[in-house]
Amino acid sequence: VPRPLPRLALGLMLLVAVVLPPLHTIRPSQLLLYSTIVGFAICGASVTVITGWSGQLSLSQMAFAGIGALTAAAFTRGAELDIGWQDTRIIDFQLDPIPFGISILIATFTTGLLAAFIGLGALRVKGLLLAVSTFAFAIAAQQYIYRRPFFSDGQSSVRFERGELLGLDLSNQRTYFYVCLGGLVIVLAILSRLRRSGIGRTTIAVRDNPDSASAYTVSPVRTKLLAFGMAGAIAGFGGALLGGLVRNIRYSEALFLVSDSLKVVSMVVIGGLGSIVGPVLGALWVEGLPAFWPDNDIVPLMTSSIGLLIILMYFPGGFVQIAFSARDALLDWIDNRFDLPEPEKSTTEPPESIHRSGREVEVPEVVLATHDVSVRFGGNVAVSDVSIEVHRDQIVGLIGTNGAGKSTLMNAIGGYVPSAGSIDLMGKEVSGMSAPGRAKVGLGRTFQAATLFPELTVRETVQVALEARGHTSFVLSALFLNGPQERHQASEAAELIDFLGLGRYADSYISDLSTGTRRIVEIANLLAVDAQLLCLDEPTAGVAQRETEAFAPLIKRIRQELGASMLIIEHDMPLIMSISDHVYCLESGTVIAQGDPTTVRNDSAVISSYLGTDDRAIERSDSGAAT
């Protein structure tokens, strides 16, 4: 299936935008309209990043655009920087006027830093509370920040002189339209590159499943702050171009109001949230149609309330969803009409082994040791003074009834819940480390639900895990200099996918896979992380019995490949007893028995608490015999 549909659509729209103005005698007011559409499309691209990719609903993007516009205007006119308290002046000096292009860049970076700072405070909340918080910032910007002397110079409107850019006279409206169009092309090109790099993959991974992303050394905090900063910088850039467009910024009457932030969100939703081309389609619809047909009473309804309602009800993916549906229908028709042959499947045999990361790690005799670890949720004690050890090259089973505290203990080891006591990993005390920090030390983790990242493909998911071997540089990606790293990472991902027989699913989305196949993808990710301790939380949960029986030899093969130790929670007794070197049994958050599998299986406390006396419950599968 061809994937470059968004890029083809952008190329077609760019061709029309470049060719159309010279073909007709266009009035300055029409060029003003075209430039406005372009400016709002750039601001909409910031919503694509913060909401579409990062999943954080921000209602303050046009506030950042306003700050970007007023900052650029201040630097072009040479504003006075006066910072102090009462009669004490901390900073007080007059700035010299700066050329238009440099002012735009300064405003872009300044707004990005401000957005990251606002995001730092907003990380404590999410969902509706985050939307309310950003909405409050938009109100504060309109009522207070815009009116600061540095921005407004004490006036109700601010003059924005365009001047020249690279020898071009920006006072000409046609020239300025092409400058705005060039800015849109640059923004969309960079975003397209970032989306296909580790930056885009990890941002979506954190949105879909921050815990799993943390297990692959991806920091949710850093990723979200980067998304906030990037979105703020884009909004500031778009706002600066819009400010230069109107020349006289009436910040309290026209542009950059709270209502504009709501409008730019609706643009992106209509165009297609998360898509690169979505902001352009949304801006054409919301800003363009009312201007093209100003006397039509139906158009304003279709571009606002009723139109947005219809889109949300029938096409929640926006216009992009309609385009993708039409593409798929066309491809199906071509396939049925011409009876095209199936593409030949690769006959390459999976490799017998995989290449390691090349990281030299000295593995101590005791890979994991917990000492009196306790976890409390309010007044409820989920884990109480648990001490366990996992030795080098050892598989340790963790069994017990539902609610015994097994997953909570594993979450405490991984850094996902606060705990008391001490945790030593690879000979290092890690109790104060975050989950990504512990993953860097050598901890690999799978989760009971195995949801992974629903909107990423198998290949992209494995590449997210490969970030543990070297994080993608934002600067190199934005400058299109990350080609060697991307090719190397793609090669490693292909090797892991072939090693586990996932080749036919490589470009399938995780949401389309069966639970058993997702479990195999999790194993591929553990190989990518190259961890020394693997914590597997019910790896056969939701898996068919036939697939469960294949997990014992697979787990042993993984241990052989990685040379890693394992801590496994599992309810399939034949499986866990057949692969474990040592077993701990928990009840009500405490260890009631430990030892080799035979000892624990015959322990009276374990039989009474968990196994019971009916051998049929213990031997409900023959997975143990298979190995």
Side-chain angles (χ1 to χ4, degrees), residues 395 520 536 539-540 545-560 566 568 570 572 574-580 621-627:
I395 296 179
I520 304 299
L536 313 182
T540 65
Q545 185 62 46
R546 179 171 52 83
E547 294 174 308
T548 298
E549 295 166 6
F551 257 80
L554 177 61
I555 288 174
K556 290 186 175 181
R557 188 181 180 191
I558 296 305
R559 178 174 68 167
Q560 179 183 1
M566 296 186 181
I568 304 177
E570 185 53 64
D572 190 307
L575 172 64
I576 196 65
M577 294 298 179
S578 68
I579 64 176
S580 297
S621 79
D622 63 350
S623 60
T627 59

Side-chain angles (χ1 to χ4, degrees), residues 153-312:
D153 202 21
Q155 306 297 319
S156 60
S157 63
V158 176
R159 184 74 177 169
F160 195 165
E161 295 292 342
R162 297 178 191 168
E164 293 185 353
L165 178 65
L166 301 177
L168 299 175
D169 181 13
L170 298 183
S171 62
N172 182 283
Q173 198 68 34
R174 186 184 301 276
T175 302
Y176 194 74
F177 164 74
Y178 283 120
V179 168
C180 293
L181 183 63
L184 175 63
V185 170
I186 292 173
V187 167
L188 296 184
I190 291 176
L191 289 185
S192 178
R193 184 69 170 187
L194 291 175
R195 174 57 187 87
R196 292 179 283 113
S197 73
I199 301 299
R201 292 190 293 268
T202 54
T203 302
I204 293 175
V206 168
R207 179 200 68 190
D208 287 353
N209 194 335
D211 287 345
S212 289
S214 297
Y216 307 139
T217 73
V218 176
S219 171
V221 172
R222 176 182 176 277
T223 303
K224 290 179 180 179
L225 285 180
L226 180 61
F228 258 104
M230 186 164 44
I234 294 171
F237 178 68
L241 291 178
L242 284 173
L245 178 66
V246 297
R247 297 194 183 188
N248 196 37
I249 306 173
R250 295 183 177 86
Y251 53 84
S252 61
E253 300 176 7
L255 283 174
F256 316 125
L257 306 182
V258 174
S259 58
D260 292 316
S261 291
L262 299 176
K263 180 169 70 172
V264 79
V265 171
S266 69
M267 282 182 187
V268 181
V269 171
I270 289 173
L273 189 61
S275 169
I276 301 296
V277 73
V280 180
L281 296 176
L284 285 170
W285 184 265
V286 175
E287 278 292 311
L289 290 188
F292 294 146
W293 288 281
D295 298 327
N296 191 309
D297 295 333
I298 299 178
V299 167
L301 294 177
M302 295 304 297
T303 59
S304 57
S305 55
I306 295 179
L308 182 59
L309 180 61
I310 293 174
I311 288 290
L312 291 176

Side-chain angles (χ1 to χ4, degrees), residues 47-69:
V47 179
T48 294
V49 173
I50 191 64
T51 303
W53 295 1
S54 184
Q56 303 173 95
L57 179 57
S58 172
L59 300 180
S60 60
Q61 293 311 109
M62 288 305 291
F64 292 124
I67 292 173

Side-chain angles (χ1 to χ4, degrees), residues 201-202 205 216 218 453 456 460-468:
R201 292 190 293 268
T202 54
Y216 307 139
V218 176
F453 315 118
L456 294 181
E460 289 175 323
T461 298
V462 175
Q463 286 180 293
V464 170
L466 284 169
E467 291 290 312

